[in-house]
Amino acid sequence: YRIYKYRNVSVYEEAFLITVSLILSYFMWKFIEQKFRYDFTLKTLFSFISLISILNIFIYSYGNDQGFINRYSNFSEDLLEELLIGEKSGVFNEDGEPCFNLECDFNFGNDQYLVLIGDSHIGRIAKQVKSYSQKNNYNYHSFIQGGCVFTKESYAQKYGCQFNNNDTFESIKKLNPKIIIYGARLPVYVNGTCMDTGKYVEKNCGGYYLNNSVPNLSPEESLPYVISDIQSTIYELSKITDYLVLLYPIPNHAQDTNEIILRNKLSNESLSYPRTVWQDRVEFSTKVYDEILGNNIIRIYPEKLFCNQFIKDECVAKIGSQIFYSDGNHLSTTGAELFTDYLFLEMNNEELSFKK
C-alpha cells in the first residue's frame, strides 16, 4: 500500500489496514479454512476457486494493469529510471568497499594529487571528481564522511567523525596535493534549524548541529569555537596546496523531491522554490566562508547554477525530464554531472586567472 501510494502511511491508514486484515483473516478462517477442514464438498471447492478468480481479476484490472509504470505512463523512460533506480554514482576501493566513511586512495601513477574532502553531499560528486583527476593526470584521494564537516579539532564533531583530527590533516599534507576540493552542507552544522521553504519543512536534520559541541558547553556556546575551527582548518588546508577549491553550500530542498514528483505525477512540470528562501538560509554560512582569506582559494557558488540558470531566481529540483536531486538534499546522477561540469569549468577559469 505504501509503495502504491508512494508516500508514508498515516496512523489512521495503518489502523484501517490492520482492521481490514483482521476482518479478512476472520472470513478466511470462518468460510474457507473451516469449510475445507470440516465440511469439504465439490461445491465448496468450486466456490473457493470462483472467489479467488474474481479477486485476481479485480486486482489485475484495477491494481495492476502494468502497475506502477502504467500509472506514470506520461513519464519518460529516462525520468522513471532516475526516480525509481535513484543515485547510481559512487566510488569503490579495490576491495569493492564504498569510499564513504572510509579513506580512499587511487594512485594512477601521476606526480600530483587531487584530494576531495566533505560530507555525504560532497560524496555525491566523488565519481565525477575521480574521473576528472584521472583525465587530468592527478592521483585521487578522498575523505568522505556522512554528517561531518571536516575540521582538525575532534571536539567539533564528536559522534562518528573519524577523520576529524590532526592526523588526517597530516596525511593530506604528506600527499602534497595540487588541488584540494572542500565542501559540506554547512547550514545544518551552524544554523541550528532545518530547511523551511514556506511550503515544506525539513525533518531530522538538527542532530548535526547538536553534534557540533565542545565538551561541557551547549551547542549555542560551542558555535563560535566550531566556526573558528572550520575557518582555521580551511585556511591551513589552503597553505598545503596550490589551489583550495571551496564549495559553498549546494541548495537543498525541504522534502524528498522524488516523493513530491511521484505523488503529484509531475512529468513535465518544474519543481522549485524562490531563490530568496535559499539566500536567507545560507546567509550565515556564506559569511563563515567569506571571512576565510587566501590568495589561492577558488570559490564555487552552486546557487548560481541551481537557483538562476534554469528558472530565473528559482532554486530548481526538477525541470522537464531532468531531476537534480535523489532526495531533498543529495544530488542525483544528473545533478552531480551537471554540477561537476560547472565546477570544473569554474576551476579551470580561476586557475588560469591565478596563473596570470
Side-chain angles (χ1 to χ4, degrees):
Y1 180 83
R2 188 184 71 81
I3 295 173
Y4 181 81
K5 290 293 185 182
Y6 200 84
R7 58 172 170 78
N8 293 328
V9 179
S10 70
V11 174
Y12 301 106
E13 287 173 307
E14 286 182 351
F16 173 75
L17 291 171
I18 290 171
T19 302
V20 170
S21 297
L22 290 173
I23 293 172
L24 288 175
S25 297
Y26 172 78
F27 274 91
M28 288 288 287
W29 171 78
K30 179 71 175 177
F31 297 106
I32 296 178
E33 183 179 343
Q34 293 289 324
K35 288 284 185 180
F36 269 88
R37 292 179 65 182
Y38 305 114
D39 190 24
F40 179 77
T41 62
L42 289 176
K43 182 180 178 181
T44 302
L45 179 61
F46 177 77
S47 300
F48 174 73
I49 293 173
S50 299
L51 176 63
I52 295 300
S53 299
I54 292 170
L55 284 174
N56 279 325
I57 291 170
F58 174 79
I59 291 171
Y60 183 81
S61 300
Y62 177 77
N64 191 346
D65 197 17
Q66 296 188 23
F68 196 93
I69 301 299
N70 184 68
R71 288 187 294 120
Y72 296 94
S73 58
N74 58 329
F75 281 43
S76 69
E77 186 176 335
D78 290 342
L79 180 57
L80 274 177
E81 182 180 359
E82 186 78 70
L83 285 166
L84 301 180
I85 297 177
E87 177 58 38
K88 298 185 287 294
S89 66
V91 176
F92 299 84
N93 66 13
E94 59 184 11
D95 296 322
E97 300 170 303
C99 294
F100 185 78
N101 294 332
L102 182 70
E103 179 181 357
C104 284
D105 181 85
F106 294 86
N107 190 320
F108 302 121
N110 301 312
D111 296 329
Q112 296 175 314
Y113 265 94
L114 184 153
V115 177
L116 180 66
I117 304 170
D119 56 11
S120 62
H121 301 83
I122 305 306
R124 287 297 174 95
I125 65 171
K127 183 177 181 180
Q128 290 79 11
V129 174
K130 174 175 172 281
S131 178
Y132 173 88
S133 302
Q134 191 170 10
K135 290 177 182 177
N136 290 273
N137 301 318
Y138 297 114
N139 300 317
Y140 172 75
H141 202 99
S142 68
F143 295 91
I144 302 297
Q145 48 185 354
C148 301
V149 53
F150 172 68
T151 57
K152 287 177 64 177
E153 296 292 340
S154 59
Y155 67 71
Q157 289 282 336
K158 301 189 297 185
Y159 304 103
C161 298
Q162 58 186 335
F163 298 140
N164 285 30
N165 53 65
N166 193 61
D167 290 342
T168 300
F169 182 85
E170 291 300 321
S171 296
I172 297 169
K173 188 175 180 180
K174 288 178 182 177
L175 294 171
N176 191 27
K178 177 77 172 179
I179 300 173
I180 294 176
I181 300 177
Y182 180 102
R185 189 185 171 200
L186 199 59
V188 298
Y189 304 111
V190 299
N191 281 23
T193 58
C194 294
M195 181 69 182
D196 183 351
T197 64
K199 185 175 183 180
Y200 299 107
V201 179
E202 185 180 14
K203 300 178 181 178
N204 304 321
C205 74
Y208 301 126
Y209 177 70
L210 297 175
N211 290 352
N212 283 338
S213 57
V214 179
N216 303 317
L217 294 180
S218 69
E220 292 77 14
E221 294 170 326
S222 300
L223 191 56
Y225 298 97
V226 173
I227 290 173
S228 176
D229 189 21
I230 292 171
Q231 291 175 328
S232 63
T233 296
I234 294 172
Y235 177 76
E236 290 185 45
L237 285 170
S238 73
K239 295 302 180 185
I240 62 171
T241 184
D242 287 7
Y243 303 104
L244 189 286
V245 181
L246 182 56
L247 305 182
Y248 280 61
I250 298 170
N252 71 280
H253 296 254
Q255 191 165 340
D256 188 328
T257 52
N258 287 3
E259 180 181 337
I260 296 172
I261 292 165
L262 286 170
R263 187 195 305 173
N264 297 290
K265 297 187 177 181
L266 305 179
S267 58
N268 295 311
E269 299 87 342
S270 62
L271 181 63
S272 64
Y273 63 84
R275 185 178 188 178
T276 53
V277 172
W278 175 250
Q279 289 173 330
D280 291 341
R281 170 72 173 164
V282 82
E283 181 179 8
F284 185 53
S285 298
T286 300
K287 182 175 181 292
V288 170
Y289 280 164
D290 284 348
E291 290 176 351
I292 305 168
L293 302 179
N295 294 328
N296 66 334
I297 297 178
I298 298 175
R299 301 174 191 272
I300 304 295
Y301 302 94
E303 176 190 332
K304 291 182 178 180
L305 174 66
F306 291 109
C307 297
N308 202 44
Q309 194 93 338
F310 302 97
I311 302 176
K312 184 174 175 57
D313 293 329
E314 288 282 315
C315 296
V316 177
K318 174 187 178 296
I319 187 164
S321 62
Q322 290 185 300
I323 301 173
F324 303 140
Y325 295 83
S326 62
D327 52 29
N329 50 79
H330 295 91
L331 292 176
S332 66
T333 301
T334 300
E337 290 173 351
L338 186 74
F339 174 62
T340 48
D341 286 344
Y342 170 77
L343 166 64
F344 301 145
L345 180 62
E346 290 293 303
M347 281 172 54
N348 293 338
N349 290 339
E350 289 293 327
E351 189 176 343
L352 286 173
S353 67
F354 284 151
K355 288 178 179 178
K356 292 179 181 178

